[in-house]
Structure formats: structure tokens, C-alpha cells
Amino acid sequence: MKLELEAHDLLWGMTVDLADDAPPWVREVVLRGDPVVVRRAITPVDQVAVGVRGQFRHQRYAAQMPRSAINKQLKPEALTRVDTQQFEHLAERLQSISSIMKNFSGCWGYTGSFGFELATGIETVTQQSDIDLLIRAEQPFAKKQAIKLLETFQQAGLNVDIQLQLPQGGLALKEWARNSGKVLLKRPDGAVLVENPWN
């Protein structure tokens, strides 16, 4: 069975078969068995492009992982179903996000430090952390809806960074809401400026 891997999926099973120039913290993270995150890049068919995250914001490392090494995969939307009682320090924010997103009918999930902490229990979220969310947007996302969603989060005092995940790549909701011209679509082969990212 070929796994359907998409940007922001968390993967477990990475081994310490790293490039010689990999910083020591990367080896520590991999040895500990922390998940890595799928990133957008072109790779050989038996590999997947991943990012390793360290304890600090500046600690990010791009690598490749053999598909055969994957022993667990978790999609961002699976993290909306975690037991918030286990994350008391995040519970208030998680409840606010959940109630805002309830009014939004589509498929969504957590990425970034929020997603990582919900998936692993490792404390990575601080008071200053942005709340990274992903919305699956197979069909065009109305600009009016994008503006309303961002305003609702702003009124709730929540600093969100929302990515729209399109079949063709990723698009920042803020950019889509505010821009009347071309927007930046992040694709595996690089970022491109497009007028209609769904076309």
C-alpha cells in the first residue's frame, strides 16, 4: 500500500541515517523518536521530503526519509480530536479555536508547534506561539469567507496562521483574503505567483 503523504503530515520512524553536516540536535531528535513533518519538495519516489524540528524556533532541518521507514502517519485533522484535558495550559485556546472552526464546515487541523505538541505531548507551544492551522480547500475558498474567518480569530484575540491546502499546493489564508492580484502558491517544485490557485 502506497501511503498518501501530504505537506504537514507527521511521520514516525525516521532513522539516524543523516547527512554528515546534520547538527547534533538533529541526531538527538531523531534518536529520541520524535516525529518529522512532511514538507514540499521533489524527491525520488522511494523518499519523502521531511523537516526535523528542534526545541527552539530556529532549529529546523530539511532532510529526506525513506518511505519504507515510516511506521506511523498522523494528519493535521486527526489532531482536532485529541483530549484537551491532557493539555490544560492550551485548553482555553483549543476550545476557542474549536468553537470558531465549528461554524466553518470544511476539513481542518493543527500544524506547527500546536500540532506537534498535540501529537507528542512535548511542550513546544509558548504564549507567543502562533496557532498554525490547515484548511483542506479542494474547491475555491470564497474571499468573503476568508476575511470573516480571520476577523473572528482577531476578535477572539487569537493569533492564527492559516494555510489553505489545495490539490496544487499551499496558500496563506491571509494573503488570499487581502490580495486582489496574484498570490503565492507553494508547490513541491517551488513557489509560484498565480491569479487563481485553483485553476
Side-chain angles (χ1 to χ4, degrees), residues 8 31 33 36 57 95-96 107 110 129 139 146 149 171 192:
H8 302 290
L31 273 171
V36 292
R57 199 188 169 107
Q95 277 154 1
S96 301
C107 178
Y110 292 97
S129 293
Q139 303 302 319
L149 192 56
L171 169 68
V192 288

Side-chain angles (χ1 to χ4, degrees), residues 81-97:
R81 298 186 289 274
V82 299
D83 177 14
T84 54
Q85 306 290 281
Q86 296 178 317
F87 302 93
E88 273 180 45
H89 62 297
L90 303 179
E92 200 179 316
R93 281 184 278 178
L94 292 171
Q95 277 154 1
S96 301
I97 295 159

Side-chain angles (χ1 to χ4, degrees), residues 9-198:
D9 287 0
L10 289 171
L11 305 176
W12 282 258
M14 177 106 173
T15 53
V16 196
D17 188 17
L18 295 160
D20 294 337
D21 65 347
W25 68 262
V26 176
R27 292 180 190 284
E28 283 169 32
V29 167
V30 173
L31 273 171
R32 202 165 53 219
D34 289 2
V36 292
V37 65
V38 177
R39 60 187 177 85
R40 288 184 188 90
I42 304 285
T43 59
V45 286
D46 62 338
Q47 300 280 319
V48 58
V50 295
V52 183
R53 64 178 300 144
Q55 192 182 348
F56 305 106
R57 199 188 169 107
H58 68 275
Q59 291 181 325
R60 299 288 182 269
Y61 182 79
Q64 285 188 18
M65 175 180 183
R67 280 177 170 264
S68 58
I70 300 166
N71 59 38
K72 184 183 172 187
Q73 173 192 22
L74 199 58
K75 294 206 161 287
E77 49 269 42
L79 298 169
T80 60
R81 298 186 289 274
V82 299
D83 177 14
T84 54
Q85 306 290 281
Q86 296 178 317
F87 302 93
E88 273 180 45
H89 62 297
L90 303 179
E92 200 179 316
R93 281 184 278 178
L94 292 171
Q95 277 154 1
S96 301
I97 295 159
S98 195
S99 64
I100 290 170
M101 293 304 285
K102 249 191 208 107
N103 299 319
F104 162 78
S105 59
C107 178
W108 67 280
Y110 292 97
T111 63
S113 54
F114 261 79
F116 191 83
E117 182 162 339
L118 294 174
T120 62
I122 299 166
E123 288 202 20
T124 47
V125 178
T126 64
Q127 277 304 117
Q128 289 71 46
S129 293
D130 276 356
I131 300 157
D132 296 299
L133 301 176
L134 176 141
I135 292 175
R136 303 262 176 224
E138 302 286 315
Q139 303 302 319
F141 198 94
K143 287 202 185 234
K144 234 188 244 177
Q145 192 183 14
I147 292 162
K148 188 170 190 287
L149 192 56
L150 290 168
E151 280 173 354
T152 309
F153 272 111
Q154 204 173 3
Q155 285 157 6
L158 295 166
N159 195 15
V160 290
D161 185 356
I162 303 176
Q163 282 278 317
L164 293 175
Q165 180 71 37
L166 286 60
Q168 297 84 344
L171 169 68
L173 186 74
K174 275 181 186 155
E175 192 178 351
W176 179 241
R178 294 187 185 145
N179 211 320
S180 53
K182 291 186 172 181
V183 289
L184 195 69
L185 180 69
K186 294 181 209 150
R187 303 189 313 198
D189 59 349
V192 288
L193 281 169
V194 292
E195 264 173 31
N196 179 359
W198 282 271

